[in-house]
Amino acid sequence: MPILFDSYEAASDWYSTSDYKEMEWYDGFEEEQFIEFAYANGEHYDGEDSLIAAFLREQGEEPEDYGF
């Protein structure tokens, strides 16, 4: 099921209460960039894992390296 955020604040709230907040991200990771990606693109992905994998790929990272 797609993830729908009706506002940037909703995406930010989701991220701040998720386990992903504590995830070991890549060097240079910016929370705001990820939140913006989630807000703008969440509806295009079927679940949190696929959303995060797409974000990682967009950043030049391998999702498999992060367990996705």
Side-chain angles (χ1 to χ4, degrees):
M1 169 149 276
I3 303 171
L4 301 175
F5 299 111
D6 60 0
S7 68
Y8 178 90
E9 290 76 22
S12 180
D13 289 345
W14 163 78
Y15 174 72
S16 68
T17 60
S18 74
D19 291 339
Y20 307 116
K21 176 101 173 137
E22 303 303 321
M23 188 171 109
E24 287 256 350
W25 292 92
Y26 54 88
D27 288 340
F29 171 76
E30 296 180 22
E31 289 182 353
E32 295 81 16
Q33 189 176 23
F34 174 64
I35 294 166
E36 181 62 37
F37 181 89
Y39 170 56
N41 298 290
E43 66 187 294
H44 302 293
Y45 297 98
D46 207 20
E48 294 176 353
D49 286 355
S50 62
L51 173 71
I52 293 170
F55 175 76
L56 288 167
R57 278 191 293 278
E58 182 180 272
Q59 300 301 309
E61 299 291 320
E62 293 294 330
E64 296 79 19
D65 294 345
Y66 299 86
F68 296 98

